[in-house]
Amino acid sequence: MTDKCTLTTAEIEVAVITDYIAQQSLEAEHQFVFSYTITISNHSQETVQLLSRYWLITDANGDTNVVTGEGVVGQQPFIRSNESFTYTSGCLLKSPLGNMQGHYQMQSSNGQLIQVDIPVFRLAKPNILN
């Protein structure tokens, strides 16, 4: 089961698709593994570079984890006007339900710094909400 959401900030669209990875999860040990694939589409007239990321990860127990760092998946990609960059990463939760939210720090080719919001997205084991 996948879940998808999008959000646009300053003509930069962030689309997220999530998935539960059952074969890597160990439910008896409270380890629930999720993947998320993010596509960043640049609808502006300027080239932008993704400099850093900020994540706030919350599980169903109310536990939070903040993740910050340069770039994504070891890259600080340049995204030209009307082009996109896609990457996949993962998250380990102690519960079968949680969410992630955050933002990217980007810089346009004219030197302007832009905070691009990432939509809040749910991480959920299939049928957990039924």
XYZ file of all heavy atoms in Angstrom, residues 3-18 36-44 48-50 52-55 72 77 79 83-88 100-106 114-121:
455
model
N 1.015 5.673 -0.071
C 0.318 6.889 0.284
C 1.070 8.012 -0.418
O 2.295 8.004 -0.434
C 0.378 7.061 1.809
C -0.610 8.086 2.341
O -1.470 8.544 1.565
O -0.504 8.414 3.532
N 0.372 8.969 -1.043
C 1.043 10.038 -1.782
C 0.484 11.397 -1.375
O -0.705 11.558 -1.182
C 0.862 9.840 -3.288
C 1.574 10.913 -4.106
C 1.411 10.693 -5.585
C 2.142 11.798 -6.337
N 2.088 11.611 -7.780
N 1.397 12.387 -1.261
C 0.969 13.756 -1.011
C 1.964 14.719 -1.660
O 3.105 14.356 -1.943
C 0.809 14.032 0.479
S 2.252 13.670 1.463
N 1.500 15.948 -1.928
C 2.348 16.960 -2.560
C 2.156 18.308 -1.891
O 1.119 18.571 -1.276
C 2.045 17.121 -4.068
O 0.704 17.575 -4.214
C 2.229 15.826 -4.825
N 3.172 19.163 -2.024
C 3.119 20.531 -1.515
C 4.063 21.366 -2.368
O 5.163 20.916 -2.703
C 3.558 20.576 -0.041
C 3.531 21.937 0.649
C 2.108 22.477 0.764
C 4.158 21.822 2.034
N 3.631 22.589 -2.708
C 4.464 23.491 -3.503
C 4.797 24.727 -2.694
O 3.920 25.343 -2.091
C 3.746 23.899 -4.807
O 3.449 22.713 -5.554
C 4.613 24.822 -5.653
N 6.086 25.081 -2.654
C 6.585 26.292 -1.996
C 7.487 27.003 -2.993
O 8.432 26.397 -3.504
C 7.413 25.951 -0.740
O 6.653 25.119 0.129
C 7.840 27.210 0.001
N 7.218 28.272 -3.268
C 8.068 29.086 -4.140
C 8.345 28.382 -5.475
O 9.479 28.343 -5.942
C 9.368 29.460 -3.434
N 7.317 27.792 -6.052
C 7.387 27.116 -7.347
C 8.240 25.844 -7.342
O 8.629 25.340 -8.387
C 7.867 28.071 -8.446
C 6.926 29.257 -8.652
C 7.377 30.136 -9.792
O 8.289 30.963 -9.567
O 6.822 29.986 -10.899
N 8.531 25.326 -6.155
C 9.215 24.043 -6.015
C 8.203 23.063 -5.428
O 7.717 23.264 -4.315
C 10.455 24.135 -5.083
C 11.387 25.275 -5.502
C 11.166 22.792 -5.031
C 12.028 25.124 -6.854
N 7.887 22.023 -6.187
C 6.906 21.032 -5.753
C 7.610 19.821 -5.165
O 8.553 19.299 -5.756
C 6.043 20.596 -6.936
C 5.029 19.527 -6.589
C 4.276 19.057 -7.811
O 3.288 19.726 -8.171
O 4.691 18.045 -8.412
N 7.141 19.387 -4.009
C 7.670 18.194 -3.353
C 6.536 17.175 -3.290
O 5.490 17.437 -2.692
C 8.193 18.513 -1.935
C 8.706 17.243 -1.260
C 9.281 19.575 -1.988
N 6.745 16.027 -3.936
C 5.759 14.944 -3.934
C 6.365 13.746 -3.212
O 7.523 13.393 -3.448
C 5.377 14.565 -5.359
N 5.560 13.123 -2.337
C 6.051 12.016 -1.513
C 5.147 10.802 -1.695
O 3.924 10.911 -1.633
C 6.070 12.406 -0.014
C 6.656 11.269 0.819
C 6.814 13.696 0.216
N 5.780 9.649 -1.900
C 5.074 8.367 -1.921
C 5.740 7.496 -0.859
O 6.968 7.389 -0.817
C 5.170 7.681 -3.294
C 4.525 8.548 -4.364
C 4.524 6.303 -3.252
C 4.733 8.027 -5.779
N 4.927 6.893 0.007
C 5.469 6.058 1.075
C 5.058 4.604 0.877
O 4.087 4.307 0.181
C 4.973 6.527 2.454
O 3.551 6.364 2.514
C 5.326 7.974 2.707
N 10.302 5.966 1.625
C 9.623 7.113 1.038
C 10.415 7.554 -0.185
O 11.636 7.570 -0.188
C 9.438 8.264 2.041
C 10.697 8.741 2.720
C 11.453 9.785 2.197
C 11.131 8.158 3.908
C 12.609 10.229 2.834
C 12.277 8.596 4.552
C 13.010 9.629 4.007
O 14.152 10.067 4.626
N 9.677 7.826 -1.240
C 10.267 8.312 -2.479
C 9.791 9.734 -2.678
O 8.588 10.003 -2.657
C 9.858 7.428 -3.675
O 10.338 6.103 -3.434
C 10.436 7.959 -4.980
N 10.752 10.631 -2.841
C 10.448 12.052 -2.980
C 10.885 12.534 -4.356
O 12.008 12.253 -4.788
C 11.131 12.873 -1.874
C 10.555 12.452 -0.515
C 10.977 14.378 -2.130
C 11.023 13.243 0.661
N 9.976 13.231 -5.014
C 10.285 13.890 -6.276
C 10.171 15.393 -6.061
O 9.129 15.880 -5.627
C 9.339 13.438 -7.401
O 9.484 12.019 -7.582
C 9.653 14.151 -8.712
N 11.268 16.092 -6.332
C 11.316 17.548 -6.213
C 11.291 18.109 -7.624
O 12.196 17.828 -8.419
C 12.585 18.006 -5.469
C 12.669 17.331 -4.102
C 12.622 19.523 -5.353
C 14.030 17.441 -3.442
N 10.248 18.860 -7.956
C 10.087 19.420 -9.300
C 10.235 20.929 -9.239
O 9.567 21.596 -8.441
C 8.714 19.056 -9.871
O 8.574 17.647 -9.945
N 11.105 21.446 -10.078
C 11.378 22.886 -10.110
C 10.536 23.538 -11.201
O 10.814 23.389 -12.390
C 12.875 23.108 -10.371
C 13.241 24.570 -10.399
O 12.413 25.446 -10.199
N 14.511 24.844 -10.656
N 9.501 24.280 -10.790
C 8.631 24.980 -11.728
C 9.014 26.455 -11.843
O 8.298 27.227 -12.478
C 7.169 24.847 -11.294
C 6.697 23.427 -11.219
N 6.621 22.604 -12.314
C 6.306 22.668 -10.164
C 6.181 21.411 -11.947
N 5.993 21.425 -10.644
N 10.129 26.850 -11.230
C 10.574 28.246 -11.304
C 11.433 28.457 -12.544
O 11.766 27.497 -13.259
C 11.369 28.619 -10.044
O 12.676 28.075 -10.104
N 17.898 25.575 -9.038
C 18.041 25.563 -7.583
C 18.950 24.409 -7.182
O 19.045 23.395 -7.882
C 16.679 25.443 -6.854
C 15.805 26.662 -7.125
C 15.953 24.164 -7.232
N 19.629 24.585 -6.051
C 20.447 23.525 -5.487
C 19.914 23.190 -4.107
O 19.681 24.082 -3.286
C 21.914 23.927 -5.375
C 22.776 22.781 -4.828
C 24.242 23.132 -4.685
O 24.622 24.293 -4.659
N 25.073 22.102 -4.568
N 19.727 21.914 -3.837
C 19.300 21.452 -2.528
C 20.543 21.396 -1.633
O 21.461 20.635 -1.891
C 18.648 20.075 -2.638
C 17.895 19.566 -1.426
C 16.886 18.516 -1.826
C 18.805 19.037 -0.343
N 20.448 21.408 2.140
C 20.306 20.648 3.386
C 18.860 20.240 3.594
O 17.950 20.695 2.906
C 20.803 21.482 4.580
O 19.996 22.634 4.738
N 18.683 19.358 4.615
C 17.348 18.864 4.943
C 17.144 18.929 6.446
O 18.092 18.874 7.224
C 17.173 17.431 4.462
C 18.029 16.446 5.258
C 18.062 15.068 4.648
N 18.834 14.117 5.419
C 20.159 14.081 5.523
N 20.898 14.984 4.901
N 20.760 13.162 6.242
N 15.871 19.013 6.827
C 15.455 18.950 8.230
C 14.232 18.047 8.279
O 13.270 18.245 7.540
C 15.084 20.338 8.762
C 14.355 20.283 10.089
C 15.057 20.284 11.286
C 12.960 20.200 10.141
C 14.394 20.204 12.511
C 12.297 20.119 11.358
C 13.015 20.123 12.531
O 12.355 20.040 13.734
N 14.261 17.040 9.149
C 13.132 16.129 9.334
C 12.738 16.088 10.808
O 13.604 16.015 11.677
C 13.506 14.696 8.945
C 13.653 14.438 7.480
C 14.812 14.164 6.817
C 12.618 14.405 6.503
N 14.554 13.965 5.489
C 13.207 14.105 5.267
C 11.236 14.606 6.554
C 12.483 13.996 4.087
C 10.512 14.500 5.385
C 11.128 14.199 4.167
N 20.691 15.255 0.356
C 19.870 14.052 0.520
C 20.601 12.893 -0.135
O 21.227 13.053 -1.173
C 18.460 14.215 -0.096
C 17.625 15.216 0.692
C 18.532 14.624 -1.560
N 21.910 18.024 -5.050
C 21.624 18.144 -6.482
C 21.232 19.557 -6.926
O 20.617 20.316 -6.182
C 20.443 17.192 -6.674
C 19.749 17.205 -5.353
C 20.869 17.283 -4.344
N 18.819 21.372 -9.569
C 17.599 21.025 -10.296
C 17.272 22.213 -11.203
O 16.932 23.297 -10.731
C 16.425 20.737 -9.330
C 16.846 19.705 -8.270
C 15.207 20.243 -10.118
C 15.881 19.575 -7.108
N 12.728 20.802 -14.427
C 13.257 19.454 -14.261
C 12.955 18.968 -12.850
O 12.516 19.736 -11.988
C 14.758 19.415 -14.556
C 15.073 19.661 -16.018
C 16.530 19.424 -16.381
O 17.344 19.092 -15.497
O 16.852 19.580 -17.566
N 13.205 17.681 -12.623
C 12.902 17.065 -11.332
C 14.084 16.232 -10.855
O 14.924 15.815 -11.648
C 11.677 16.152 -11.440
O 10.531 16.890 -11.806
N 14.107 15.989 -9.550
C 15.079 15.099 -8.924
C 14.298 14.154 -8.025
O 13.463 14.596 -7.227
C 16.093 15.899 -8.100
C 17.047 15.040 -7.314
C 18.130 14.438 -7.945
C 16.862 14.818 -5.958
C 19.005 13.632 -7.217
C 17.734 14.026 -5.234
C 18.817 13.432 -5.868
N 14.542 12.858 -8.152
C 13.834 11.852 -7.353
C 14.841 11.018 -6.576
O 15.882 10.644 -7.113
C 12.992 10.938 -8.260
O 12.029 11.733 -8.959
C 12.255 9.877 -7.452
N 14.508 10.745 -5.311
C 15.334 9.844 -4.509
C 14.443 9.043 -3.580
O 13.303 9.419 -3.302
C 16.401 10.615 -3.717
C 15.883 11.425 -2.550
C 15.884 10.904 -1.252
C 15.394 12.716 -2.725
C 15.419 11.641 -0.175
C 14.923 13.460 -1.651
C 14.941 12.919 -0.387
O 14.468 13.654 0.682
N 14.987 7.918 -3.102
C 14.272 7.069 -2.150
C 15.136 6.880 -0.919
O 16.350 6.690 -1.018
C 13.951 5.699 -2.782
O 13.123 5.908 -3.927
C 13.226 4.791 -1.799
N 6.152 11.992 9.145
C 7.367 12.772 8.936
C 6.964 14.123 8.373
O 5.984 14.241 7.637
C 8.311 12.080 7.955
C 8.944 10.817 8.497
S 10.033 9.980 7.320
C 11.360 11.170 7.122
N 7.740 15.128 8.730
C 7.551 16.464 8.165
C 8.891 17.167 8.192
O 9.806 16.752 8.910
C 6.514 17.253 8.959
C 6.861 17.429 10.433
C 5.704 18.035 11.195
O 5.158 19.044 10.781
N 5.320 17.394 12.288
N 9.017 18.221 7.416
C 10.281 18.925 7.409
C 10.391 19.914 6.287
O 9.389 20.364 5.725
N 11.644 20.247 5.959
C 11.893 21.187 4.875
C 13.303 20.997 4.316
O 14.156 20.391 4.952
C 11.686 22.635 5.333
C 12.602 23.062 6.436
N 12.239 23.026 7.755
C 13.879 23.513 6.422
C 13.247 23.444 8.504
N 14.257 23.736 7.715
N 13.478 21.533 3.117
C 14.780 21.591 2.476
C 15.230 23.046 2.456
O 14.411 23.953 2.296
C 14.719 21.100 1.024
C 14.267 19.672 0.865
C 13.094 19.363 0.194
C 15.028 18.620 1.366
C 12.681 18.053 0.030
C 14.620 17.301 1.214
C 13.447 17.034 0.545
O 13.041 15.732 0.389
N 16.529 23.258 2.593
C 17.118 24.567 2.356
C 17.698 24.508 0.954
O 18.518 23.627 0.657
C 18.221 24.876 3.377
C 18.820 26.250 3.259
C 17.899 27.346 3.787
O 17.070 27.112 4.635
N 18.039 28.532 3.268
N 17.254 25.418 0.105
C 17.731 25.454 -1.268
C 18.278 26.834 -1.579
O 17.963 27.813 -0.893
C 16.610 25.096 -2.243
C 16.087 23.694 -2.082
S 15.022 23.249 -3.453
C 14.659 21.556 -3.032
N 16.058 29.612 -0.144
C 14.635 29.280 -0.132
C 14.420 28.106 0.806
O 15.101 27.080 0.685
C 14.150 28.871 -1.540
C 14.506 29.928 -2.587
C 12.650 28.589 -1.538
C 14.439 29.392 -4.007
N 13.471 28.257 1.728
C 13.063 27.112 2.548
C 11.863 26.478 1.863
O 10.815 27.107 1.731
C 12.696 27.534 3.968
C 12.251 26.347 4.813
C 11.997 26.700 6.256
O 12.885 27.191 6.932
N 10.787 26.449 6.717
N 12.032 25.251 1.418
C 10.976 24.522 0.713
C 10.385 23.492 1.668
O 11.079 22.574 2.111
C 11.529 23.848 -0.559
C 10.450 23.005 -1.234
C 12.082 24.894 -1.520
N 9.108 23.667 1.981
C 8.448 22.766 2.919
C 8.162 21.412 2.279
O 7.833 21.314 1.095
C 7.140 23.380 3.414
C 7.379 24.617 4.264
O 8.396 24.666 4.983
O 6.553 25.549 4.196
N 8.300 20.379 3.094
C 7.948 19.019 2.701
C 6.587 18.740 3.329
O 6.391 19.011 4.519
C 8.997 18.015 3.222
C 10.386 18.365 2.688
C 8.598 16.588 2.846
C 11.525 17.675 3.418
N 5.630 18.206 2.558
C 4.325 17.964 3.163
C 4.426 16.945 4.293
O 5.236 16.029 4.241
C 3.487 17.414 2.000
C 4.478 16.863 1.042
C 5.711 17.714 1.180
N 3.590 17.129 5.315
C 3.502 16.119 6.366
C 2.962 14.855 5.714
O 1.965 14.896 4.992
C 2.548 16.572 7.495
C 2.396 15.479 8.538
C 3.025 17.871 8.118
N 3.651 13.743 5.932
C 3.155 12.500 5.354
C 3.148 11.395 6.396
O 3.941 11.372 7.325
C 3.925 12.086 4.095
C 5.411 11.909 4.241
C 5.960 10.669 4.533
C 6.277 12.983 4.061
C 7.327 10.499 4.641
C 7.645 12.823 4.164
C 8.175 11.578 4.458
